[in-house]
Amino acid sequence: EAAYEAMYERYHADLPPDHLEITEVAKRSDVATRLPSALALHRKGRLDEAAAIYRAILCDYPENSDVLQLLAGIAVQQNDMTGAIALFDQAIAVSPGSSELYNNRANVFLGLKRYEEALESYRQALVFKPEDADVWSNCGNVLKRLGRYEEALSMFDRTLGIKPDHTDALFNKAMLLHVLKRNKDALSVFDELLEFKPDNISAICNRGHVLAEMKQYEDAVHAYRKTLSLKPDYAFLFSRYLHTSMKICDWQDYDRNLVRLRESIENGEKVATPFPVLSLLDLPDIQRKAVDLYVSVRYPENHHLSEIPKRSRRHKICIGYFSADFHNHATTQLIAELFERHDRSRFELIAFSFGPDSRSKMRMRISASFDRFVDVRNCSDLEVAELSRELGIDIAVDLKGFTTDSRTGIFAYRAAPVQVNYLGYPGTMGAPYIDYLIADKVLVPARSGQYYTEKIVWMPDSYQVNDAHRKISERAFTRRECGLPEQGFVFACFNNNYKITPDVFDVWMRILKRVEGSVLWLLEDNATSAENLRREAAARGVSGERLVFAKRMPLAEHLSRHRQADLFLDTLPCNAHTTASDALWAGLPVVTRMGESFAGRVAASLLHAVGLPELVTTTTKEYESLAIALALDSERLRSLREKLERNRITAPLFDTERFTGYLEAAYEAMYERYHADLPPDHIDITGL
């Protein structure tokens, strides 16, 4: 009967008669009889039962590559990746010309982050099926993970040459172009993808991210709204949508959205990336819940690399500073002098730069201040972590946290025995692999320790380092040049627009009403925010003309124009940080309201360190009353300005040498604990 069936099949396949080996035909018939039941069990998720039948078939017919591949699939489903690879290897030995087997084995390597092996297996698949667009696309994805970006782009282009509507290749190409800051090109590719598939939610959302980076905030908000209308629970998008809306001071449904944000975080929903929460909710417990969830999903501890072997004590402690901002950036403008003042007899400094090479004076200054300056833009997180270990970094300092262009994945691999969160991100990183947070007792009082996963290093004065060499231009601005009225009190706030909340704006408008002829001088990050704020002022009974907007300009000139202002008004939940120290360095007093979270206590920290604690308030009423009182009492304000002028030269805030000594003491304390086999613990520098 098997012979008859074989003859019949050849006839219906339009094949001529040929020799038949009935033993092999019978084998195929036997497999065909048992396989359907195994496949049915497999589809139902009854994996052990299906696997038992697959193995029974293989006992009789060990060279059946299809069954070997099915059994490998079950191994993957049961998270037995080593077993899956072994089964794929067996199948490939039986059917060495199968592109599918090489591709599927490569997928397993990819899941294990064994990228080089994945790439080689994909390339073997292409030997046997060179026009397989999916495999070319897969090669591109691996090369992207390896940091070989130009090669990855060529792979995506090869894919699209075979299949122009290959949406995965279009998406990944657009995402890679975004990583490379080729945002116009990225936008064009996203638009092309959406022509083929207009309901691709990931493309709509990530197109919004590109638009936001291009400062086309209105279009970005529209893209986020569309994404959320299609998928209300799109992971970690809701807070980003609110944050982008705040950048243009679009306060539509502000109160309702804040309630939703808070309740969703409390319920453990994936609605928030960490940074936006800092400027929306002054609630340390909610901030902690948001960051804990985000890290557990996006940046869990990664054990791909083995534990770092215990190192012998060395004469010099090797400090690695990691940042994308080694150019004209606010963080670097604060920290530049610290790098220059480090004691090279006790410390070796290595910079890991994953930001642009601006070739600016600041970039040259920074690179010259390190023993070694390494550009790792095109390296994967894994490669950077491996390099950090190879170079013997004892203490890795993350200057980014969860801010733009951060690379948290580097630290998830454990780049150094001790890892520190400092300066760039004003809050806890919620990551078990970040050991310490540099702070002070105003920022993080002992009672707040529960909201931080890191151990706290309490600096004696302020956590914030400052560059006492920051130049203030000799250019003497006039009020007319700044767009300010010739007469009248000038309140100023040069914080980013997203920090201005409706509640803060309400207070500012009440202050303007009380101080006749006064104006409010704000940073104009974009034209839409200025239009919206003028409209909001009018809605509160204040002429929009009393809001004056300052364009961005070089730092030295920006510092100089501060002198045309009379008083700086701070924001909450997120205070002025670099903008506060800029104002104080330029001699402009800052009135702040101190909140509960790190981001809401920075200005208070700075004011204490510059000897002006009387400018720190704790309630809205105190803040409003103090601002009005100072505006109406010229003698009191003059006295404050004179005190600031004296203190900025002598107080700890701008004493970079003093700060450097304390920070080095902190590093030495961390290093000592490590070599004493002690776990990280809180460090109070005052007590050392």
Side-chain angles (χ1 to χ4, degrees):
E1 289 176 346
Y4 290 153
E5 286 174 339
M7 298 172 194
Y8 188 70
E9 287 301 320
R10 290 192 66 80
Y11 165 70
H12 278 286
D14 293 323
L15 296 171
D18 199 359
H19 303 299
L20 298 173
E21 173 56 66
I22 298 305
T23 304
E24 292 302 318
V25 173
K27 283 182 181 180
R28 290 196 295 272
S29 178
D30 182 31
V31 172
T33 300
R34 287 191 279 174
L35 193 58
S37 60
L39 290 171
L41 291 166
H42 196 160
R43 283 192 293 269
K44 291 177 181 178
R46 294 162 64 177
L47 302 183
D48 290 337
E49 295 170 76
I53 299 175
Y54 292 150
R55 291 192 189 96
I57 294 172
L58 289 171
C59 284
D60 296 329
Y61 314 113
E63 295 190 346
N64 190 309
S65 61
D66 291 336
V67 176
L68 284 165
Q69 181 167 211
L70 288 165
L71 197 55
I74 285 181
V76 170
Q77 288 175 272
Q78 294 179 330
N79 206 33
D80 177 14
M81 300 304 178
T82 302
I85 289 171
L87 287 162
F88 276 122
D89 287 344
Q90 284 181 253
I92 287 169
V94 173
S95 301
S98 171
S99 173
E100 180 184 9
L101 289 172
Y102 284 114
N103 184 67
N104 290 339
R105 183 181 67 174
N107 291 339
V108 179
F109 282 133
L110 182 61
L112 290 170
K113 295 183 170 60
R114 291 163 61 176
Y115 297 132
E116 293 290 355
E117 292 163 286
L119 183 60
E120 178 58 27
S121 197
Y122 283 134
R123 283 176 168 160
Q124 288 173 316
L126 288 169
V127 170
F128 301 105
K129 199 172 181 182
E131 295 303 306
D132 191 324
D134 290 340
V135 180
W136 284 107
S137 180
N138 290 340
C139 284
N141 290 334
V142 177
L143 287 163
K144 179 184 173 185
R145 287 172 171 80
L146 286 168
R148 293 157 60 178
Y149 296 145
E150 294 303 324
E151 292 177 76
L153 285 174
S154 69
M155 292 295 170
F156 294 138
D157 287 339
R158 183 67 182 266
T159 304
L160 296 168
I162 298 168
K163 194 174 188 298
D165 63 345
H166 196 290
T167 54
D168 284 347
L170 285 165
F171 180 80
N172 288 310
K173 179 181 178 181
M175 294 292 287
L176 180 51
L177 289 167
H178 181 38
V179 169
L180 293 171
K181 304 299 182 185
R182 293 168 54 182
N183 286 323
K184 288 185 179 179
D185 293 336
L187 202 61
S188 176
V189 177
F190 274 130
D191 289 342
E192 187 178 350
L193 190 163
L194 290 167
E195 286 181 14
F196 291 120
K197 197 170 182 182
D199 60 345
N200 187 308
I201 298 175
S202 292
I204 295 168
C205 178
N206 283 283
R207 183 177 180 276
H209 296 339
V210 173
L211 288 164
E213 193 163 297
M214 295 171 72
K215 294 196 172 185
Q216 297 181 26
Y217 298 128
E218 287 182 282
D219 291 336
V221 167
H222 177 74
Y224 293 154
R225 282 179 179 153
K226 184 173 182 181
T227 303
L228 292 167
S229 70
L230 294 170
K231 186 174 175 56
D233 61 346
Y234 194 100
F236 302 114
L237 179 61
F238 186 62
S239 69
R240 193 159 184 173
Y241 156 62
L242 296 185
H243 186 63
T244 308
S245 298
M246 295 297 287
K247 287 184 175 183
I248 55 174
C249 300
D250 176 357
W251 300 332
Q252 180 180 333
D253 296 325
Y254 176 83
D255 291 333
R256 184 171 61 84
N257 284 333
L258 279 195
V259 170
R260 176 185 167 187
L261 179 67
R262 177 178 178 172
E263 291 179 348
S264 297
I265 293 171
E266 286 179 326
N267 293 333
E269 298 172 28
K270 293 183 287 187
V271 296
T273 54
F275 186 77
V277 181
L278 304 183
S279 59
L280 291 166
L281 297 170
D282 184 37
L283 299 167
D285 58 330
I286 296 296
Q287 293 177 7
R288 171 71 191 271
K289 287 178 182 177
V291 74
D292 283 353
L293 177 60
Y294 180 75
V295 167
S296 69
V297 174
R298 291 287 170 85
Y299 296 106
E301 197 162 12
N302 193 318
H303 298 287
H304 178 78
L305 297 177
S306 60
E307 187 175 343
I308 299 175
K310 186 65 180 288
R311 296 171 178 169
S312 58
R313 185 185 296 273
R314 294 180 292 183
H315 177 63
K316 289 186 180 183
I317 302 173
C318 189
I319 309 293
Y321 284 100
F322 295 72
S323 182
D325 300 333
F326 293 131
H327 53 89
N328 288 317
H329 184 278
T331 301
T332 301
Q333 288 159 0
L334 290 176
I335 203 171
E337 188 182 350
L338 170 72
F339 300 145
E340 295 164 339
R341 285 192 173 274
H342 267 307
D343 183 350
R344 291 315 210 290
S345 68
R346 294 156 50 218
F347 296 91
E348 179 184 1
L349 299 188
I350 300 180
F352 294 81
S353 173
F354 40 85
D357 181 0
S358 63
R359 302 187 185 277
S360 63
K361 288 183 180 179
M362 178 61 83
R363 174 75 167 200
M364 290 188 287
R365 177 186 173 189
I366 292 296
S367 59
S369 65
F370 282 89
D371 296 296
R372 183 166 178 177
F373 190 92
V374 188
D375 189 331
V376 293
R377 278 176 296 173
N378 295 325
C379 298
S380 67
D381 290 348
L382 174 59
E383 288 173 324
V384 178
E386 288 175 325
L387 178 61
S388 176
R389 291 178 173 211
E390 289 170 14
L391 294 176
I393 300 299
D394 296 307
I395 300 174
V397 183
D398 182 6
L399 296 173
K400 291 297 298 176
F402 295 115
T403 57
T404 303
D405 298 326
S406 60
R407 297 277 296 271
T408 309
I410 294 169
F411 305 95
Y413 283 112
R414 180 61 71 170
V418 178
Q419 302 193 136
V420 179
N421 168 17
Y422 179 51
L423 194 61
Y425 182 72
T428 181
M429 288 184 66
Y433 43 82
I434 301 295
D435 304 301
Y436 294 98
L437 169 68
I438 306 295
D440 59 61
K441 291 182 178 178
V442 175
L443 280 179
V444 185
R447 61 180 168 79
S448 298
Q450 62 186 305
Y451 305 123
Y452 298 82
T453 54
E454 304 91 342
K455 297 302 180 182
I456 308 302
V457 177
W458 285 293
M459 299 293 277
D461 306 305
S462 174
Y463 87 110
Q464 191 188 87
V465 64
N466 271 278
D467 182 354
H469 296 312
R470 269 183 294 178
K471 183 180 177 183
I472 301 177
S473 171
E474 294 180 1
R475 178 181 173 184
F477 285 89
T478 66
R479 281 196 167 198
R480 183 182 295 247
E481 284 179 286
C482 297
L484 298 166
E486 295 294 340
Q487 302 295 324
F489 196 90
V490 178
F491 295 103
C493 180
F494 295 129
N495 289 357
N496 281 310
N497 295 159
Y498 68 80
K499 295 184 181 183
I500 304 173
T501 67
D503 294 337
V504 166
F505 198 72
D506 285 343
V507 178
W508 288 352
M509 294 305 100
R510 291 199 297 269
I511 292 170
L512 290 183
K513 287 179 180 178
R514 288 287 306 277
V515 182
E516 187 177 349
S518 62
V519 296
L520 179 60
W521 195 13
L522 302 171
L523 177 71
E524 183 179 331
D525 187 49
N526 58 85
T528 305
S529 65
E531 293 171 8
N532 286 340
L533 287 173
R534 284 197 169 108
R535 186 177 62 252
E536 293 289 347
R540 290 162 174 78
V542 176
S543 170
E545 297 303 312
R546 293 179 70 182
L547 272 57
V548 180
F549 291 91
K551 302 286 187 183
R552 293 186 184 273
M553 62 170 51
L555 178 61
E557 294 185 352
H558 174 58
L559 291 173
S560 179
R561 70 177 169 182
H562 276 71
R563 293 165 176 161
Q564 297 304 316
D566 296 302
L567 188 65
F568 189 106
L569 298 178
D570 197 13
T571 52
L572 190 76
C574 192
N575 284 174
H577 297 174
T578 305
T579 43
S581 56
D582 282 347
L584 295 170
W585 181 242
L588 179 62
V590 176
V591 172
T592 190
R593 179 185 160 199
M594 184 168 64
E596 291 298 318
S597 64
F598 187 127
R601 301 173 73 89
V602 170
S605 167
L606 304 182
L607 287 165
H608 277 84
V610 82
L612 291 173
E614 61 265 40
L615 294 179
V616 178
T617 66
T618 56
T619 67
T620 300
K621 184 177 180 181
E622 288 177 0
Y623 171 87
E624 182 177 338
S625 298
L626 180 58
I628 292 168
L630 290 173
L632 298 178
D633 188 340
S634 58
E635 183 57 31
R636 182 180 176 188
L637 182 59
R638 184 186 62 78
S639 176
L640 268 173
R641 293 184 76 113
E642 289 176 353
K643 182 179 180 181
L644 173 56
E645 188 59 32
R646 292 191 302 272
N647 288 5
R648 80 182 190 96
I649 305 301
T650 59
L653 181 61
F654 298 113
D655 189 341
T656 316
E657 182 177 6
R658 173 188 172 103
F659 180 92
T660 303
Y662 286 137
L663 185 61
E664 289 176 343
Y667 289 155
E668 288 174 330
M670 298 172 195
Y671 191 69
E672 288 302 318
R673 290 195 67 83
Y674 166 69
H675 278 287
D677 293 322
L678 295 172
D681 201 357
H682 301 303
I683 298 171
D684 188 341
I685 300 302
T686 307
L688 293 181

